[in-house]
Amino acid sequence: MTNLKGLLMLGAALSVGCAALPERQATMPTLPQSFLAEGGSVAPTAWWHAFSDPDLDQLIAQALAENLSLQATAARLRAAEAVAGAAAAGLRPSLTARASATHNEGGETTGSTSLSAAYELDLWGRLRSSRDAAVLQAEATAQELHAARISLSAAVAIQWFALGSSGERLQLISQERATYERLLRLVESRYRNGQANVSDVLRQRQLVESTRSLEASTAAELGTQRHALEELLGQPAGSRALAGNIPPAMSALPRSGLPADVVSRRPDVQQRWLLLQSADRSVAAAIANRFPQLSLTASGTSSDAGASRLFEDWLGSLVANLVGPIFDGGARRAEVERTRAVFDQRLAEYRSAVLVGFREIQDALLRDQQQTIRVASLIEQLRLSDAVIERIERQLRNGSATYLSLLDAQITNSSLRREVLSARQQHAEQRIALFRAMAGPLADEEELVVEPVDEDSVLRQAFESAHSVKPLSPLERGWGEGRVSSRPCSNQSHSVFAPSSALRAPRAESARHLRSTAFPLTPTPLPVGEGLRRASR
């Protein structure tokens, strides 16, 4: 009675208290109002459509459907859904039936049946907080799947253009080798006629062999890139003769928008946000576990010597159990401290993810901007190199230039051609990195082949119940649990991470079955800190 009286006094004290959490903006990293560069073009939702390459579109669609790593991530999502379903099932009563019959040597048959039901009253919100934590964990896994899809589509595009660039580079090297071999025959003829030195012949032979070596290494690189692309498509190496494509000339930078809006839609930032919310619910569950638990059990038993009268006479009972911890050596208190430490860890990880996301977008914009200048400069250098070769060839025919000057100019020209090709490939990769850094929901998200799990009716009700959030009672509004603000008391609590237009609380969007009307996973968004207040129920 003394312990129960103390708990009632604690509840009364909490009901008259009032705590307000600091505003979310006070804990968020301050982001600039704009990026260092702002483009004018509107990027398509399926960002790879910006390259206008139907073959690339088809390959990305195939990879999203058949990539094995993506399927493994989707399986982890289904496992997380099952865990959330199990946590939600704890809010429903359990019913157990048992029947037995015995036939003895005297010909008599005795039997018994029993039914028992159990239900825990969630006084302090422990079960609801555990359910919310598991649901938010599943949503975080959905964002992991979303991020994996974006990374996979970017990897396919990079390999596709790398494959096309390597093929073009191999063709250039083969043409160079043929040209050098033709010049070698010319130099050898001039040497036999006494018009060239032996050093000219040796130098030309060395150039032919050098080009042959470069051709072999480029062919090997081309093959490994093809194998890597086939692996991304979920196929064995060497099963397809993929040719790739040369990256097109990059258009203007895409329109970036407000940094806070762009960063908030990144799946890694959304995942960290959901994990932070889940950690908050875990803190609430750990706190509630320190309070008494009230459970109701009901049972009925029928037993008779005749099987025909088995269900006629019943004995029933209804029992209420109130169990509360008295001394546990500090185990529950230690669990609360552990969950609080995890919450602080998730908070730091969320803030870090925002900064990392902003930095990656800034880096991608900077590299893309400077690569545009570099490509233009290399193209101009190649134009000038072509003019130099043309001028030296005329001078060589007139006898006013030497063969060595032409050879040096041709080597420089060949190197510039390969460098222009590599620079265009790098520009495409940097544009892909920019699209990936700014990526939001993909246009073909509904095409992902992940079938919904066929749950039973109890699980369906449990998931649907995740949408119903009761209004906070005065007792719940007063629960601050160590996060009390110094501001005056009010009836409205302020969340550290309440959804705002700048950085919204994300919703699960990455798998079709998460949005299934059968049992949607996403609960009504709750502000971080509310789970702590729920512990007072």
Side-chain angles (χ1 to χ4, degrees):
M1 290 295 296
T2 303
N3 292 336
L4 181 60
K5 182 178 179 181
L7 290 172
L8 293 176
M9 293 177 62
L10 174 62
L14 290 173
S15 64
V16 298
C18 181
L21 297 174
E23 295 290 346
R24 173 184 180 181
Q25 290 79 1
T27 61
M28 285 301 305
T30 302
L31 299 181
Q33 295 299 316
S34 62
F35 292 106
L36 60 84
E38 177 67 32
S41 62
V42 179
T45 306
W47 56 265
W48 54 88
H49 291 168
F51 295 105
S52 302
D53 191 334
D55 293 332
L56 177 61
D57 299 343
Q58 183 179 1
L59 288 178
I60 290 180
Q62 180 181 350
L64 293 176
E66 301 180 12
N67 181 266
L68 298 180
S69 297
L70 195 65
Q71 293 177 13
T73 305
R76 288 198 299 271
L77 174 59
R78 293 195 298 271
E81 287 181 359
V83 172
L91 293 169
R92 295 288 183 266
S94 62
L95 181 64
T96 305
R98 177 178 297 178
S100 64
T102 305
H103 185 75
N104 56 28
E105 295 180 354
E108 295 182 353
T109 300
T110 60
S112 65
T113 59
S114 63
L115 291 175
S116 61
Y119 178 66
E120 179 180 346
L121 298 178
D122 196 17
L123 296 177
W124 314 104
R126 178 178 62 86
L127 298 177
R128 289 189 297 275
S129 296
S130 298
R131 176 205 61 189
D132 292 345
V135 169
L136 290 165
Q137 284 278 353
E139 287 197 28
T141 307
Q143 293 301 323
E144 180 184 355
L145 178 62
H146 188 180
R149 297 180 71 243
I150 294 175
S151 298
L152 175 61
S153 59
V156 170
I158 289 175
Q159 288 296 334
W160 176 251
F161 290 130
L163 187 62
S165 297
S166 295
E168 181 69 15
R169 187 161 55 251
L170 181 60
Q171 185 177 355
L172 285 175
I173 295 172
S174 300
Q175 293 174 356
E176 291 171 9
R177 183 173 60 84
T179 300
Y180 294 155
E181 289 175 346
R182 178 175 56 83
L183 290 176
L184 175 59
R185 292 191 295 269
L186 177 61
V187 172
E188 289 176 340
S189 176
R190 290 170 58 88
Y191 172 72
R192 287 192 297 267
N193 296 330
Q195 298 175 340
N197 298 322
V198 66
S199 59
D200 295 336
V201 177
L202 295 177
R203 185 181 293 110
Q204 190 64 34
R205 287 178 179 176
Q206 186 271 334
L207 187 58
V208 170
E209 292 303 323
S210 175
T211 309
R212 182 177 286 110
S213 173
L214 182 60
E215 184 178 13
S217 63
T218 305
E221 181 182 1
L222 178 65
T224 56
Q225 289 171 345
R226 183 180 291 113
H227 295 166
L229 181 55
E230 289 166 342
E231 181 184 0
L232 293 175
L233 299 177
Q235 297 178 347
S239 60
R240 295 181 61 176
L242 298 172
N245 198 1
I246 303 174
M250 294 297 103
S251 58
L253 285 172
R255 188 177 304 163
S256 54
L258 293 176
D261 291 338
V262 176
V263 172
S264 67
R265 67 182 186 182
R266 283 172 54 108
D268 57 338
V269 174
Q270 296 187 27
Q271 181 186 17
R272 295 301 180 185
W273 165 258
L274 290 167
L275 290 175
L276 176 61
Q277 290 184 311
S278 177
D280 173 67
R281 271 55 169 191
S282 297
V283 173
I287 294 173
N289 195 39
R290 301 182 63 188
F291 291 86
Q293 300 173 12
L294 179 62
S295 60
L296 302 177
T297 59
S299 63
T301 304
S302 175
S303 178
D304 194 86
S308 61
R309 300 181 56 194
L310 185 62
F311 297 97
E312 293 183 3
D313 299 324
W314 285 81
L315 295 176
S317 64
L318 177 63
V319 179
N321 296 316
L322 182 63
V323 180
I326 297 178
F327 178 75
D328 60 359
R332 289 178 173 83
R333 181 183 296 274
E335 177 62 17
V336 172
E337 294 303 319
R338 186 194 68 82
T339 55
R340 282 174 172 166
V342 172
F343 176 87
D344 294 338
Q345 173 190 345
R346 299 303 186 195
L347 174 59
E349 290 173 347
Y350 173 71
R351 299 187 65 187
S352 175
V354 172
L355 294 178
V356 169
F358 179 74
R359 190 260 302 165
E360 288 182 352
I361 296 175
Q362 290 279 68
D363 290 348
L365 286 169
L366 177 62
R367 291 193 183 101
D368 194 300
Q369 197 176 40
Q370 298 303 315
Q371 190 68 14
T372 301
I373 300 174
R374 178 171 179 262
V375 170
S377 175
L378 288 172
I379 291 175
E380 177 63 16
Q381 292 180 53
L382 181 59
R383 185 189 68 82
L384 295 174
S385 177
D386 290 337
V388 169
I389 290 179
E390 182 181 357
R391 179 68 61 89
I392 292 177
E393 286 178 345
R394 284 203 307 265
Q395 293 175 351
L396 188 61
R397 286 193 296 267
N398 297 331
S400 58
T402 63
Y403 161 76
L404 188 58
S405 61
L406 176 61
L407 182 62
D408 291 339
Q410 288 177 337
I411 294 174
T412 301
N413 187 269
S414 299
S415 177
L416 276 173
R417 290 187 183 278
R418 293 193 297 268
E419 193 171 359
V420 167
L421 191 59
S422 297
R424 290 182 61 182
Q425 176 191 343
Q426 292 173 6
H427 199 184
E429 293 179 359
Q430 290 164 1
R431 181 60 58 88
I432 292 171
L434 176 60
F435 283 136
R436 180 174 54 190
M438 299 172 59
L442 301 183
D444 64 341
E445 188 171 4
E446 298 292 339
E447 298 177 3
L448 181 60
V449 183
V450 181
E451 295 299 328
V453 181
D454 188 13
E455 304 285 352
D456 55 23
S457 58
V458 175
L459 264 181
R460 294 174 188 271
Q461 294 176 1
F463 274 109
E464 290 171 351
S465 69
H467 284 276
S468 59
V469 178
K470 298 180 180 179
L472 295 179
S473 65
L475 177 61
E476 292 167 333
R477 289 196 299 268
W479 185 264
E481 196 55 33
R483 290 175 170 80
V484 180
S485 172
S486 59
R487 288 180 292 182
C489 179
S490 65
N491 290 330
Q492 182 179 3
S493 61
H494 300 281
S495 169
V496 183
F497 295 101
S500 67
S501 59
L503 285 165
R504 298 176 295 276
R507 308 283 293 186
E509 298 176 333
S510 300
R512 181 178 60 188
H513 59 285
L514 279 180
R515 292 196 296 249
S516 170
T517 56
F519 46 95
L521 256 180
T522 310
T524 303
L526 300 176
V528 172
E530 185 171 315
L532 301 177
R533 294 189 296 274
R534 276 188 162 195
S536 61
R537 281 188 188 176

